[in-house]
Amino acid sequence: MIPESFPCELVAWDHAVRLSRALAAEVKAADYRPDLVIAIGRGGYVPARIVCDRLLLDTLTSIKIEHWGTAARKKEKAVVRYPLATDVGDLSVLIVDDVTDTGETLEHAVAYVEKEGAREVRTGVLQHKRTSSYDPDYYAEYLAGWRWVVYPWALHEDLVGFTEKVLADEGLTMAEIRAALARRYEIHANEDEVAEALADLLALGKAVEEEGDRYRQGHEWEGG
Amino acid sequence: MIPESFPCELVAWDHAVRLSRALAAEVKAADYRPDLVIAIGRGGYVPARIVCDRLLLDTLTSIKIEHWGTAARKKEKAVVRYPLATDVGDLSVLIVDDVTDTGETLEHAVAYVEKEGAREVRTGVLQHKRTSSYDPDYYAEYLAGWRWVVYPWALHEDLVGFTEKVLADEGLTMAEIRAALARRYEIHANEDEVAEALADLLALGKAVEEEGDRYRQGHEWEGG
């Protein structure tokens, strides 16, 4: 269950680019020159592409790691959804993701890439959270206080999710929805962005429009 | 051989994001809802990530296509360097790249993904050049006049390449290098960006610093 309220940080594009460049600078400062960069999908795609640019590396590939959990299990289980598409035998590798949250993703990725025979595996993220049980080799920023980070390449998806959370049985106006996003999640999104999230929620049947430009929770036919 | 002079367009981050969102809007307007998005490495990584955000798609993977040519062959040959990491059998697929230049990359990618058994394959790019022999299904912008497009995620690499081209046997100052980039390639890069490109060229032995803060072509030990 997602709690009723927690702090979020919206990262703007220019800040995400600065963090990505700072991550590349860390790797360079350590004199690590990987044979292969592996982006973890989907969050690592943009950071990894920028790191490759800054380090003049052409060899970029990706893997996708997903998490599965049940109500009975507190800790989710990481699984490789899309595996490596190339032989990493005897290569030095840099695995790139956006953030360490629990650290589970990177820990699983490292174990997987090592098992596949890489000679050396190092990891880099934009933001490393204190809550992570795994310490990446490189990061651009350390987050001592926990918060949910909304990266610009996930802004729409995250806004759809948060907007769904603030909708209630009684209709809310756009202004009330934006106020609730700010109060509960510290998300200050502009009206266009919230309108786009609402449009998708309406199309998905997760929101209903009422007269007076008010929106309330949709009750989907399936589930309950 | 790269010609002595040709027009370039530097795409800023905010414009690249706008183009990526416009591409997603095209796909949505056509009511195409792919089961899988395939980014072509490396240029398609950022556009594909943004398209997934806008279309609320979690299923993102990548392939890498490279081009090989010899002096004897005018047309380069496209080859799959990193293949698909997941079974596309019976899936509808959207292949995403940054630009169509000759069209060779997308044409080869489509043939490859179809051969792997995808049920439906469509393609999308940010910018579609008139020079392309392949027409993508979706694009955000049509480029009638040919120019080299420098995307923000390839800015450093491209600047390293263009700065190397403008260096000569006689030393040039930073101001002269920037003037040459503007005159020959219509590249208006700021001093920090050119300084970073020069730093890499110096480290690679492709540039030499002379007194008076002048830079000339490096003569590498290897090759000739």
Side-chain angles (χ1 to χ4, degrees), chain A residues 13 17 28 36 42 45 49 52-54 57-58 60-62 64 82-83 85 153-154 156-157 196 200, chain B residues 13 17 28 36 42 45 49 52-54 57-58 60-62 64 82-83 85 153-154 156-157 196 200:
Chain A
W13 272 102
V17 172
K28 195 171 184 174
L36 181 69
R42 300 170 299 161
Y45 267 57
R49 178 63 192 90
C52 283
D53 181 45
R54 306 296 295 181
L57 296 171
D58 184 48
L60 172 62
T61 190
S62 68
K64 188 175 201 305
Y82 302 147
W153 46 84
H156 181 63
E157 297 168 338
E196 286 171 335
D200 270 0
Chain B
W13 272 102
V17 172
K28 195 170 183 176
L36 181 69
R42 299 170 301 160
Y45 267 57
R49 178 64 193 92
C52 284
D53 181 46
R54 305 297 294 181
L57 296 171
D58 183 49
L60 172 62
T61 190
S62 68
K64 190 175 199 306
Y82 303 146
W153 46 83
H156 181 62
E157 298 168 338
E196 286 172 334
D200 270 0

Side-chain angles (χ1 to χ4, degrees), chain A residues 74-107:
Chain A
K74 193 140 186 219
K75 199 169 185 184
E76 294 184 326
K77 194 171 155 46
V79 293
V80 176
R81 167 88 179 268
Y82 302 147
L84 280 165
T86 184
D87 181 14
V88 294
D90 213 33
L91 298 186
S92 62
V93 163
L94 178 70
I95 301 175
V96 175
D97 206 353
D98 46 6
V99 68
T100 56
D101 195 64
T102 64
E104 178 91 352
T105 303
L106 271 188
E107 203 176 331

Side-chain angles (χ1 to χ4, degrees), chain A residues 16-219:
Chain A
V17 172
R18 268 199 304 277
L19 289 171
S20 302
R21 291 180 173 193
L23 170 60
E26 290 295 316
V27 176
K28 195 171 184 174
D31 261 329
Y32 188 52
R33 195 168 168 78
D35 299 311
L36 181 69
V37 175
I38 301 173
I40 294 189
R42 300 170 299 161
Y45 267 57
V46 177
R49 178 63 192 90
I50 296 173
V51 164
C52 283
D53 181 45
R54 306 296 295 181
L55 300 181
L56 303 177
L57 296 171
D58 184 48
T59 46
L60 172 62
T61 190
S62 68
I63 60 176
K64 188 175 201 305
I65 292 190
E66 290 186 349
H67 295 265
W68 293 94
T70 64
R73 289 175 55 111
K74 193 140 186 219
K75 199 169 185 184
E76 294 184 326
K77 194 171 155 46
V79 293
V80 176
R81 167 88 179 268
Y82 302 147
L84 280 165
T86 184
D87 181 14
V88 294
D90 213 33
L91 298 186
S92 62
V93 163
L94 178 70
I95 301 175
V96 175
D97 206 353
D98 46 6
V99 68
T100 56
D101 195 64
T102 64
E104 178 91 352
T105 303
L106 271 188
E107 203 176 331
H108 194 74
V110 169
Y112 166 66
V113 175
E114 281 177 346
K115 189 171 64 70
E116 292 292 312
R119 177 167 50 77
E120 183 163 15
V121 180
R122 299 192 192 178
T123 54
V125 296
L126 303 186
Q127 297 177 305
H128 174 39
K129 291 186 187 175
R130 191 181 51 76
T131 49
S132 172
S133 62
Y134 174 85
D135 286 322
D137 296 286
Y138 311 108
Y139 53 87
E141 194 173 55
Y142 181 72
L143 302 184
W146 188 89
R147 54 191 186 267
W148 179 261
V149 184
V150 179
Y151 293 99
W153 46 84
L155 175 64
H156 181 63
E157 297 168 338
D158 282 1
L159 263 187
V160 167
F162 287 117
T163 302
E164 186 186 0
K165 297 282 162 220
V166 303
L167 291 179
D169 279 338
E170 307 84 57
L172 300 176
T173 63
M174 168 63 85
E176 288 167 341
I177 290 168
R178 290 177 64 205
L181 288 170
R183 188 178 63 245
R184 285 173 52 180
Y185 303 113
E186 297 176 20
I187 290 180
H188 302 275
N190 70 43
E191 196 165 317
D192 285 352
E193 289 161 347
V194 178
E196 286 171 335
L198 278 169
D200 270 0
L201 287 169
L202 289 169
L204 292 165
K206 293 181 174 180
V208 175
E209 195 169 359
E210 296 180 338
E211 57 181 289
D213 291 327
R214 289 175 173 272
Y215 301 87
R216 62 169 173 80
Q217 269 180 359
H219 296 286

Side-chain angles (χ1 to χ4, degrees), chain B residues 127-146:
Chain B
Q127 297 175 305
H128 174 39
K129 291 186 187 175
R130 192 182 50 77
T131 48
S132 171
S133 62
Y134 174 85
D135 286 323
D137 296 287
Y138 311 107
Y139 53 87
E141 196 174 53
Y142 180 72
L143 301 184
W146 189 91

